[in-house]
Amino acid sequence: MASSLARLAKQSGIYTLGNLTLKAGGLILLLLYLDPAYLTQAEYGRLILLETVAQLFIVCVGLGLAQGLLKYATDPVYADERGSLAFTALVATTALAVAAWGLVVLAARPLAALLLDDGMRVGLIQLMGVYIAMKVVAAVPYMALRIEERVGWYVLGVVVEFAVFLGGVYYFLAVRQLGLEGVVLGLVVSATSVSVLLSVGLLTRSPWRFKRDRAVLLLRFGAPLIFASLASVLLNTGDRFVLKAFEGADAVAVYGLAQKFGGLVNMLFVQSFSMAFAVLGLKALGSLAPDRGGEVGRLHRRTFRHFAVLTGWGVLGISVLTLDVTAVISSNPAYLDAAPLVLPIGLGFMAYGIYYIMMNVLYATERTGKIASNVLGAAGVNLLLNLALIPLLGAMGAALATLVGYAGLAAVTARQAHHVVPIAFPWRALGTVALVIIGLWSLAQPSLHWAASLRLGWRMLLLMLYPVLVLSAGVYTRAELVEVRGAVQSWWARRGAEHDEDIQSRAE
């Protein structure tokens, strides 16, 4: 158990470091995107819609082959076939990507009219088709790195891809002044370069054996997950289309910015955690004895509480600091309206992380149909709520609908997972964390019109109060705190001993 938690913490930490690098670069991107000299507010809203449609295509085109690879390449029964499974998935996915590009080219004119308000901008849509195809292909070698637990190489690939994108956007947008076309060119260059590089790397370490029956196996498992992935993207981003219909592209720009900030919770906590936990959780479930409440129950239960506490701190921090960060990076006062939207969006992503813990059980036991139906149901509820709330509350209605959708998804999946592996999750700890977040965020609101220095000081103080209140509320017992202190002291003592031995060996 300790080793599993340690591996989870280490791998999640590496993913988080990579995501921190991406978010640091993302701040530079926002400086470019939010500068009206490069992109108007409406064009930024159109970029968000383009990215949303690209995500929808990417999750559909792959037909779940990468997800099938994750399932079977981590299964001990298929241990001898991991290389051929990866090659099979790559070949099949490449064929699907080429077909998808052709489909986007054929649909370029109506897509341009829908997303860009100009049916003549077909070139942009065709470029996005290239980007979609490259991202679909890259999903397989990226997944192979995760399965092999080559976390460092995975993160390096993601960081390099983003660095190329950042450089491309700066050149095409800031230097060449190409506007939205410049951003799309940056996407294409980065996705193509990394897709080719990673695919070549996978081919050099995998046997070139395409197995048709294994392709069918991967498709049979992964295909139902298309609906889950598609619904997941719609759950996260579908409200942008409803918002555009009622409020226009300018409102999408403000809401999209709020989602960028709320997405920090998703990237730094949820994605970093889920990418490590998906592999380690599946491996733990794959090695279970008939007693379903054994080792895996403790792993998932302890992970649940630690995730809730750490992610809750992140939600609070991002929610109370968004206003001041936005004021620094943009001169457009309209973007300040994004600040109050971040808390419900962040809490929604926190619920999404809880969902991943529960979904891991269904995933391992091949209940992909239930996963798909759960996410489709949540997306449907989210859509209805958006249609009801956005006309009344605008962007805040979209944010609240997202929170309800993710929370409902986590609750339903938790109930289903409990029937497979009965685990006594510490739901009280999650409730306590949520109350602390909302309480401290409420205390931050009177400072909205204070001087920036006073406001920042007050809000930083509230952030420091978070761990004090969480510990005071009994989320962790005294015995657990003593255990953690002992573990830290032991680690520090070992580090000191190793340092002394190193000095002595050098002296000799």
Side-chain angles (χ1 to χ4, degrees):
M1 170 59 62
S3 62
S4 296
L5 285 172
R7 286 164 64 200
L8 178 60
K10 179 181 178 180
Q11 293 182 23
S12 297
I14 296 173
Y15 285 128
T16 300
L17 288 175
N19 287 336
L20 279 171
T21 304
L22 299 188
K23 280 304 179 182
L27 182 60
I28 299 174
L29 280 178
L30 283 179
L31 290 171
L32 296 172
Y33 290 165
L34 304 185
D35 189 335
Y38 301 135
L39 282 179
T40 66
Q41 187 175 338
E43 283 286 82
Y44 179 52
R46 294 183 184 109
L47 171 61
I48 291 170
L49 294 173
L50 277 176
E51 291 175 337
T52 303
V53 171
Q55 288 179 316
L56 293 174
F57 268 93
I58 290 167
V59 299
C60 291
V61 171
L63 292 181
L65 284 168
Q67 286 75 18
L69 181 63
L70 173 62
K71 162 60 183 171
Y72 292 108
T74 56
D75 192 329
V77 175
Y78 298 91
D80 296 335
E81 298 185 51
R82 285 174 184 167
S84 60
L85 282 171
F87 180 79
T88 298
L90 181 62
V91 171
T93 301
T94 302
L96 292 169
V98 173
W101 178 78
L103 179 63
V104 172
V105 170
L106 291 174
R109 190 174 296 275
L111 284 174
L114 174 66
L115 303 174
L116 306 174
D117 302 313
D118 184 354
M120 301 304 294
R121 301 177 76 177
V122 294
L124 263 177
I125 302 299
Q126 291 170 349
L127 281 173
M128 286 302 292
V130 177
Y131 168 72
I132 290 166
M134 291 298 125
K135 291 296 290 183
V136 169
V137 172
V140 173
Y142 268 132
M143 184 64 78
L145 290 174
R146 287 178 57 193
I147 292 167
E148 297 164 11
E149 297 190 42
R150 299 189 180 192
V151 180
W153 285 105
Y154 179 95
V155 170
L156 179 62
V158 173
V159 171
V160 168
E161 180 178 355
F162 185 80
V164 174
F165 172 54
L166 182 60
V169 169
Y170 178 78
Y171 175 72
F172 293 119
L173 183 62
V175 178
R176 293 285 304 279
Q177 299 279 310
L178 295 180
L180 184 55
E181 286 80 359
V183 180
V184 175
L185 281 170
L187 286 168
V188 171
V189 170
S190 63
T192 301
S193 58
V194 172
S195 178
V196 171
L197 183 63
L198 290 178
S199 297
V200 170
L202 178 59
L203 291 173
T204 59
R205 64 181 192 275
S206 300
W208 290 27
R209 291 197 299 271
F210 180 84
K211 296 185 176 182
R212 183 178 177 181
D213 61 327
R214 294 313 186 213
V216 173
L217 179 71
L218 296 175
L219 282 171
R220 189 166 57 244
F221 177 85
L225 293 175
I226 297 173
F227 300 102
S229 299
L230 181 61
S232 180
V233 174
L234 288 172
L235 180 58
N236 183 25
T237 61
D239 43 18
R240 299 171 183 178
F241 297 103
V242 181
L243 193 60
K244 181 178 184 293
F246 283 103
E247 305 284 337
D250 286 343
V252 174
V254 174
Y255 184 64
L257 179 61
Q259 286 190 314
K260 293 285 186 185
F261 283 112
L264 285 168
V265 177
N266 188 34
M267 177 172 279
L268 299 181
F269 297 93
V270 178
Q271 289 185 17
S272 300
F273 158 75
S274 65
M275 294 176 91
F277 188 76
V279 175
L280 296 176
L282 283 175
K283 289 181 177 179
L285 286 164
S287 62
L288 272 179
D291 176 17
R292 287 298 202 183
E295 187 72 11
V296 69
R298 291 193 292 273
L299 173 63
H300 285 57
R301 183 174 62 250
R302 295 179 67 180
T303 298
F304 178 99
R305 184 170 45 166
H306 299 326
F307 173 82
V309 171
L310 291 175
T311 306
W313 204 356
V315 170
L316 178 64
I318 293 166
S319 299
V320 300
L321 298 178
T322 293
L323 179 68
D324 291 285
V325 174
T326 303
V328 170
I329 65 177
S330 177
S331 59
N332 185 349
Y335 285 123
L336 296 177
D337 293 336
L341 307 175
V342 175
L343 178 66
I345 292 173
L347 287 173
F349 281 125
M350 181 176 171
Y352 195 41
I354 298 297
Y355 158 75
Y356 269 115
I357 298 175
M358 311 303 166
M359 187 266 285
N360 187 262
V361 177
L362 301 183
Y363 199 101
T365 52
E366 302 187 28
R367 287 170 167 80
T368 53
K370 284 188 177 295
I371 295 172
S373 62
N374 290 346
V375 185
L376 281 169
V381 171
N382 178 255
L383 175 60
L384 293 175
L385 287 173
N386 275 306
L387 292 171
L389 295 178
I390 287 177
L392 298 174
L393 303 175
M396 180 57 76
L400 292 173
T402 299
L403 170 58
V404 173
Y406 278 134
L409 175 63
V412 170
T413 307
R415 181 177 180 181
Q416 293 173 349
H418 184 76
H419 291 304
V420 180
V421 183
I423 303 172
F425 285 108
W427 294 104
R428 177 182 173 278
L430 178 63
T432 300
V433 167
L435 288 175
V436 171
I437 293 170
I438 294 171
L440 292 175
W441 181 86
S442 299
L443 289 175
Q445 299 318 296
S447 66
L448 282 174
H449 303 293
W450 295 1
S453 58
L454 289 176
R455 181 171 60 244
L456 275 174
W458 172 242
R459 295 188 173 201
M460 293 302 295
L461 176 62
L462 294 176
L463 283 178
M464 289 186 286
L465 280 175
Y466 174 86
V468 176
L469 293 177
V470 166
L471 294 177
S472 300
V475 172
Y476 291 101
T477 65
R478 182 178 180 84
E480 288 173 327
L481 295 176
V482 171
E483 181 182 351
V484 170
R485 185 180 66 180
V488 171
Q489 290 175 341
S490 298
W491 176 84
W492 188 258
R494 288 197 304 271
R495 293 285 295 173
E498 291 172 359
H499 180 66
D500 293 340
E501 291 176 1
D502 183 52
I503 293 176
Q504 184 177 356
S505 63
R506 291 180 180 179
E508 293 175 352

